[in-house]
Structures are given as structure tokens and as C-alpha cells.
Amino acid sequence: LEDPRYVTIHAKTSENQYLDAKEVEDLHARYASKSDILARQEMEGEFCDFAGQVFTQFKAHEHIITARDIPDTQSVICGIDWGFNDPFVCLWLTQLDGVWMVLDEYYKNKTLLGDHASYIRSHPLYPQVKRLWCDPSRIQERREMAALGIRGLLPARRPDDARATNWPAMRARVINTLFGKRLRCPWVHKQLIPALVQFDTCQQLSKELMSLCYKNV
């Protein structure tokens, strides 16, 4: 605030006269369904302290790295979360010298499966994709995507020793462990970087990681 080169403008999303009011209302509802704090931050422009944050080890300055090319021979996997009102999400990931990297993201709501399939098929990384792990709750969507030409679709499942009630917390602990672990950088071996990073083009993912909170907190 003391640097004259910067200015802070506080405004609500609803005050943007160029946005459709119904779209703003729907967006607010989606944020509020996840967290009232998230809705206040994203829609009201407030700076909020996220008590109960799920991914406590995520730090933007450490875990977001500059996007770079990967070898054409590198295997890629995708994670898919179905959605229509909430966004349909696809993430592209690879593991290079032990370091997991989120290479790209696709977030799109109110869009037909055919359009999602077309986008995934035309993605530059699609020839390198070996598996697409999907939310297992939507069998019909998975079948339709396969019929639309998306190969390698498999239902993601929790480990045999994990119960449905404790698996979300176990999964968060695994991800936090990767965020906290340090490995040699694949392209600068003298440097250490987190075992899970994301390219700086994945802006929606950053918001999810920083804002996701446990509902009972």
C-alpha cells in the first residue's frame, strides 16, 4: 500500500455492469455451496482467512512454476470430474524424475459432453495420454465419452484399505505430503522443488487449492 506504483480497487462482482446478472447469481451460488468464505472472497472482494483450509501446504510462490515443454515421449495422465452446473474439469499431469506436474487444465460449465470430448481429443497432449481417471459415480457419462472417441477412460477408486468416510481426508493428506516434499528439479538438478507443482497456466486450479475448506469448520 505504500508503493505508489500500485493501487487497490475494492469492488463486488455484482457491480460489474458488463456481466450478466443471472451468470453472477449462478457463480455466487456455486462458490457459496463450497464455502461462505470462498463466496465472500471471490464475489465480494474480501480478504479472508481460510480456517479449515484443506491444502495447508500449498504455497503459490513455491508450487506454481513457469510452463515449459515436456518431451514428446513423456506419458501423460488426466483426471476428470464430471459437471454441468458446476464445471466439468479435466487436468493433464505427468511425473518427471519423480516430480508430479499439472501441465494444463480445462474448466467448463453448462457444456455438452460432445464439446468436452472434442476439446480433449484436440488437445496437444492427447497423443501422450495413457489414462483418464474419472469420477466413478457417473457411469453413463463415462460410456458416452468413450463412444465419442475418448480412449483410456477408467473409474478412479480409493485404495482397498480406505473407507468412503475417511478417504477424502486421506487423499488430502497424500496431496499435502507431496506439496511438502522436496525433490531434485528435473531440469536444474542443483535445485530442489516440491514433489507436486503446477504450471502457471492453471489458474482455476490455484483458486481451488487455496480456497477449498472443510465444511464443518
Side-chain angles (χ1 to χ4, degrees), residues 136-166:
S137 63
R138 304 283 188 87
I139 298 175
Q140 184 59 34
E141 280 86 343
R142 192 169 74 248
R143 289 174 177 170
E144 290 182 27
M145 287 284 279
L148 289 165
I150 302 299
R151 51 178 172 70
L153 291 159
L154 289 173
R157 67 177 183 86
R158 62 182 184 273
D160 294 335
D161 60 345
R163 302 186 308 275
T165 53
N166 68 358

Side-chain angles (χ1 to χ4, degrees), residues 75-155:
S75 295
V76 175
I77 64 170
C78 289
I80 290 179
D81 189 22
W82 312 107
F84 187 76
N85 289 324
D86 286 333
F88 173 101
V89 180
C90 182
L91 299 178
W92 286 259
L93 305 93
T94 194
Q95 190 180 36
L96 192 60
D97 292 347
V99 178
W100 280 103
M101 304 176 189
V102 184
L103 308 172
D104 203 1
E105 66 178 10
Y106 172 71
Y107 281 70
K108 193 79 170 179
N109 70 317
K110 297 183 179 178
T111 304
L112 298 176
L113 278 178
D115 295 322
H116 298 318
S118 178
Y119 184 91
I120 292 172
R121 283 199 313 271
S122 64
H123 195 279
L125 291 172
Y126 185 67
Q128 297 172 242
V129 173
K130 303 303 180 185
R131 291 286 184 271
L132 297 97
W133 296 103
C134 310
D135 178 350
S137 63
R138 304 283 188 87
I139 298 175
Q140 184 59 34
E141 280 86 343
R142 192 169 74 248
R143 289 174 177 170
E144 290 182 27
M145 287 284 279
L148 289 165
I150 302 299
R151 51 178 172 70
L153 291 159
L154 289 173

Side-chain angles (χ1 to χ4, degrees), residues 63 98 100 173-182 193-196:
H63 296 96
W100 280 103
R173 284 197 297 271
V174 169
I175 294 173
N176 275 318
T177 298
L178 289 173
F179 280 144
K181 187 177 180 180
R182 296 296 182 270
I193 63 172
L196 174 58

